[in-house]
């Protein structure tokens, strides 16, 4: 298990047992070095982690063709993780910009990154991101198959099932650690959605493309019918499934309808098959959900999908705040994670309006981390409140340096304070000489301590 | 009940029955014109509202010496309201800036404003804000009494109880609609707080000043012992109590300790006395609270305080995100409001770091409104989701103009979109030609509708 230092990164040679995937090793009680590394900041013991991975309650996404210096464990009582989506669209393709976004996402604390590039240069951008990313990387191969075909003037229906499987294999070969695959968008779930009626239809790109393909060809979703073949491909590269929620609600009114829940039932069936095939599996979830329906959503996912890690996008708790959807989703994400979600996909302020820029990536990651951290505390994860306690002590002792060090985003915190430094450097300009902390010390007879 | 048009404002002459306060009128089944106006955007019927006001479950803050063009009802099943704190400190006093903040707060949708000015120019600033504010206005008189005394080099303990009562009357005369008064900071609650121990001590300015006064003089809180006299003053001007949480926790670790709950018990006793004296009353709440303790906090307040409207500051759900405390408090505020809080005090990104500037006011108000609106939906307030449904329809039909119109902050939403307009103006640059909504229409066989 040799390691080498490359710049600041510590690359581990991962393969302990190439004949078995991480989940298969875990069933044998064996821990890949990647799993050990993923437990660095967790309160989970190695044997607990292996049990959770073996049972399908936790995953450590990690393609066996490359090493990840900063892997992570998702689910099973570990700290809530945060993903940042980056990637270009045909309207705007720049490799440098995507690498800058990657850097910003990682330095802001994202645990994983998804490259959602859909333009013609997707492979170049993906290779660049794979080479540069210290954290696990996810993609959505279906975007390329259909996106590139449409750019070449082909109809969605003309894409063959072979092309779809071949794209999945391309992504596995490229070193991607987890793949979003909308395997649960079936003829039945789409029919239920159509029958019940929806304000927003299908708002998942992958889900809608597959539905169009199925509708036009009158065939079942090849990712559903060909799931065993899919699992064989993923198993070969030890890539983790992120079973996509192609029928997630796109507005509050569509939350929890038959199409959404039928898809979740299918994902539960497929998760069982995936585990049997030796492939780690996560389930993706909504979306736009009124606050009072979030806890139920989390519980029904856990019961339908064998306790698999739940990866949620949002949930966004109101539709009327474009420009602030990092906040609408932080509210939903915190409640979701507190009630069972394990993995939060960030949402940036640009959601519903345009592709995120580099600053949106920073704001998106920090905001999702706030939701994740608040949920870690609410779930009682051991040690989750240590930093908060240290911050309280730094505040009580007017130790500004330490406050900045403990802040999730030290640069932003320092910037705010420096914009209006008070005369008395101990306090802040909010209260000035009426600082409650100083008054409190006098009230408690603790003046001498300051 | 004559009205006059002044600019865009519709001023009402309020007095229907000057011999009775709003709560006394409600008990007689009578509605002040201010109460009728406050119900304009509510689903509550007038008779329901009067019952709630009479029982002390709802308040319509409104000083009887001035008119408020845009009053509001707080509590009793009405929509969750949002307050914005403005005001200068000695470190930074500018009348123009405070008026700009007021304008920004109101145009962003704040239902009330509190002027927390503590500098020597407080009265000038308060008069300016009172004259300009179309919404109910709150203040904290104790800041002035002690703040001005300290600026003149006097010790906190040298301020007389008379001066405190006289400051309260000054604020009532100035036309303020509700007053934060920390009447529940008693010798017993402070002793309990000290005995149990706290990381952060007392973080409320008013609470800490009163505690210092009590400690140094060895006397009980005059706002507690002199509560009947206080109520007489407030009753004369029909000013609403906002019974302050002087012992609220200042960090997660201090949440729910004996000092905090003992104060709440006293506030419950005082609320009963206030109602008996014909004074409308709200109760203020925390603060910094782990997410899993928020619902209990709301329920215990309602049971201890006779179902009085609950006015919360935050709650902030993690201490380690300075620069993002509008978000930490939106998470807590949404959960609090869903579980019984009625009134959210905004927290701006500048919290813990400096006084908010004008842009912080905008962000703070919109963020608190998001939390309030999400809670309105979760509580099932009739009509709360209408705008969300309209937004879903505007999105589904690519009606960008309508989307901006429905957005909580149209200027910000439009700005984001205009920064990266896609080639196809229907869609946005996130998905470009892979727009899920367009694909979905094809999948559903609805192409002709677009």
């Amino acid at each position: 298990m040799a390691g080498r230092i490359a710049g600041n990164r510590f690359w581990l040679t991962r393969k302990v047992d190439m004949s078995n995937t991480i989940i298969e090793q875990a069933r044998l009680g064996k821990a890949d070095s990647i799993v050990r590394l993923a437990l660095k900041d967790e309160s989970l013991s190695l044997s607990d982690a292996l049990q959770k991975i073996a049972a399908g309650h936790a995953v450590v996404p990690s393609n066996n063709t490359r090493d990840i210096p900063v892997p992570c464990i998702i689910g099973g009582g570990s700290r809530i993780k945060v993903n940042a989506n980056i990637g270009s669209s045909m309207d705007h393709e720049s490799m440098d910009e995507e690498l800058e976004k990657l850097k910003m996402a990682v330095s802001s604390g994202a645990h994983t990154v998804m490259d959602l590039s859909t333009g013609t240069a997707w492979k170049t951008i993906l290779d660049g991101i794979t080479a540069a990313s210290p954290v696990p990387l996810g993609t959505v191969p279906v975007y390329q198959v259909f996106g590139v075909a449409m750019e070449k003037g082909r109809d969605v229906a003309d894409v063959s099932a072979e092309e779809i499987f071949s794209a999945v294999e391309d992504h596995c070969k490229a070193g991607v650690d987890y793949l979003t695959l909308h395997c649960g968008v079936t003829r039945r779930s789409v029919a239920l959605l159509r029958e019940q009626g929806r304000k927003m239809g299908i708002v998942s790109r992958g889900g809608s493309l597959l539905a169009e393909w199925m509708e036009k060809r009158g065939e079942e979703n090849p990712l559903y019918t060909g799931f065993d073949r899919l699992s064989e491909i993923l198993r070969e590269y030890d890539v983790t499934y992120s079973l996509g929620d192609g029928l997630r609600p796109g507005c509050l009114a569509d939350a929890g309808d038959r199409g959404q829940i039928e898809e979740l039932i299918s994902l539960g069936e497929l998760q069982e098959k995936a585990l049997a095939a030796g492939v780690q599996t996560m389930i993706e979830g909504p979306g736009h959900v009124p606050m009072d329906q979030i806890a139920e959503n989390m519980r029904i996912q856990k019961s339908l999908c064998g306790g698999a890690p739940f990866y949620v996008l949002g949930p966004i708790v109101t539709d009327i705040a474009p420009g602030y959807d990092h906040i609408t989703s932080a509210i939903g994400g915190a409640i979701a994670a507190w009630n069972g979600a394990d993995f939060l996909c960030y949402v940036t302020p640009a959601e519903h309006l345009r592709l995120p820029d580099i600053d949106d990536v920073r704001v998106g990651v920090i905001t999702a981390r706030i939701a994740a951290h608040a949920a870690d505390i609410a779930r009682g994860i051991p040690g989750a409140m240590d930093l908060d306690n240290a911050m309280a002590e730094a505040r009580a002792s007017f130790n500004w340096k330490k406050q900045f060090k403990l802040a999730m985003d030290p640069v932003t915190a320092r910037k705010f304070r420096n914009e209006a430094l008070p005369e008395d450097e101990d306090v802040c300009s909010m209260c000035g000489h009426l600082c409650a902390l100083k008054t409190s010390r006098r009230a408690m007879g603790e003046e001498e301590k300051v």
Side-chain angles (χ1 to χ4, degrees), chain A:
Chain A
M1 223 185 301
R4 71 181 166 83
I5 304 288
N8 277 332
R9 293 186 196 149
F10 184 53
W11 295 85
L12 281 166
T13 306
R14 167 173 179 267
K15 288 92 220 162
V16 189
D17 172 7
M18 276 295 288
S19 65
N20 284 309
T21 60
I22 284 174
I23 187 172
E24 289 163 347
Q25 291 173 39
R27 284 180 195 140
L28 301 169
K30 287 198 281 184
D32 194 288
S33 55
I34 284 282
V35 173
R36 291 175 197 271
L37 196 55
L39 295 175
K40 206 167 70 75
D41 294 323
E42 303 290 344
S43 57
L44 276 178
S45 70
L46 182 61
S47 68
D48 271 0
L50 289 179
Q51 276 179 17
K52 305 281 188 188
I53 293 168
H57 299 167
V59 296
V60 177
S62 167
N63 189 305
N64 62 16
T65 65
R66 71 178 189 112
D67 293 322
I68 315 167
V70 190
C72 66
I73 182 165
I74 299 165
S78 63
R79 291 179 185 238
I80 310 298
K81 303 303 180 301
V82 163
N83 172 71
N85 287 340
I86 60 172
S88 54
S89 71
M90 200 181 62
D91 277 302
H92 186 76
E93 281 194 308
S94 156
M95 176 72 154
D96 287 348
E97 207 175 312
E98 295 316 314
L99 289 177
E100 281 303 309
K101 285 189 203 165
L102 170 68
K103 217 169 132 183
M104 178 58 91
V106 173
S107 69
S108 300
H111 301 98
T112 73
V113 165
M114 288 191 83
D115 173 18
L116 303 188
S117 295
T118 56
T120 38
W122 71 271
K123 185 57 168 57
T124 317
I125 290 174
L126 175 58
D127 286 342
I129 291 176
T130 311
S133 176
V135 298
L137 185 68
T139 57
V140 192
V142 159
Y143 291 174
Q144 271 79 56
V145 198
F146 290 109
V148 172
M150 285 164 80
E151 276 175 43
K152 290 185 181 158
R154 294 171 63 196
D155 192 89
V156 165
D158 294 337
V159 171
S160 71
E162 271 321 300
E163 286 176 81
I164 298 175
F165 285 104
S166 149
V168 171
E169 186 145 20
D170 288 346
H171 281 248
C172 290
K173 276 186 191 151
V176 170
D177 302 294
Y178 63 99
L179 293 180
T180 292
L181 291 162
H182 304 90
C183 305
V185 178
T186 58
R187 291 178 66 82
R188 170 159 168 81
S189 58
V190 174
L192 284 165
L193 181 148
R194 190 189 280 117
E195 278 166 34
Q196 194 175 0
R198 258 197 183 183
K199 281 197 190 301
M200 294 280 291
I202 304 177
V203 297
S204 146
R205 268 184 287 182
S208 63
L209 289 164
L210 287 166
E212 182 182 0
W213 189 93
M214 290 152 63
E215 167 75 13
K216 287 184 170 170
R217 292 172 71 117
E219 291 176 28
E220 186 51 278
N221 181 350
L223 298 178
Y224 181 75
T225 52
F227 190 75
D228 292 337
R229 178 174 169 197
L230 211 54
S231 298
E232 273 171 40
I233 301 170
L234 269 70
R235 192 201 166 277
E236 187 181 342
Y237 298 89
D238 204 353
V239 167
T240 298
Y241 271 120
S242 186
L243 294 176
D245 54 337
L247 305 185
R248 65 173 173 269
C251 64
L252 300 190
D254 290 347
D257 69 356
R258 292 172 205 141
Q260 183 198 329
I261 305 303
E262 170 68 18
E263 181 186 29
L264 200 54
I265 291 173
S266 300
L267 296 184
E269 288 183 280
L270 297 177
Q271 184 253 9
E272 229 173 280
K273 292 174 84 172
L275 296 191
V279 182
Q280 299 185 95
T281 303
M282 303 185 274
I283 308 287
E284 295 184 13
H288 293 236
V289 183
M291 213 169 20
D292 56 314
Q293 294 178 31
I294 294 174
E296 289 92 284
N297 254 279
M298 301 305 120
R299 286 181 205 128
I300 196 78
Q301 181 274 344
K302 291 284 176 186
S303 69
L304 293 176
C305 302
F310 205 15
Y311 177 21
V312 297
L313 175 65
I316 281 173
V317 295
T318 166
D319 297 326
I320 62 169
Y324 297 81
D325 276 325
H326 58 311
I327 297 174
T328 62
S329 72
I331 295 171
I335 298 173
W338 173 24
N339 286 285
D342 306 281
F343 190 22
L344 302 180
C345 185
Y346 84 172
V347 172
T348 80
E351 184 75 20
H352 299 109
L353 297 167
R354 63 161 167 72
L355 269 184
D357 64 20
I358 289 161
D359 200 58
D360 297 323
V361 169
R362 173 185 63 80
V363 174
V365 171
I366 298 287
T367 306
R369 283 185 59 210
I370 288 171
H373 180 68
D376 282 344
I377 293 169
R379 285 169 81 151
I381 289 183
M385 229 169 79
D386 291 353
L387 289 177
D388 299 77
N389 291 340
M391 178 65 90
E393 281 151 24
R395 281 182 172 147
S397 60
F398 304 100
N399 187 340
W400 287 93
K401 227 184 208 170
K402 198 164 173 204
Q403 288 177 50
F404 296 135
K405 210 182 144 190
L406 291 163
M408 274 204 190
D409 180 353
V411 177
T412 300
R414 194 182 293 269
K415 187 178 138 280
F416 269 100
R417 173 155 166 88
N418 287 345
E419 281 164 359
L421 274 177
E423 277 178 39
D424 174 357
E425 287 227 347
D426 264 10
V427 302
C428 80
S429 68
M430 266 192 103
C431 304
H433 72 297
L434 278 184
C435 174
L437 289 173
K438 295 208 157 189
T439 312
S440 172
R441 284 182 176 272
R442 290 194 304 271
M444 301 290 167
E446 293 171 352
E447 259 168 304
E448 66 291 348
K449 277 203 214 161
V450 186

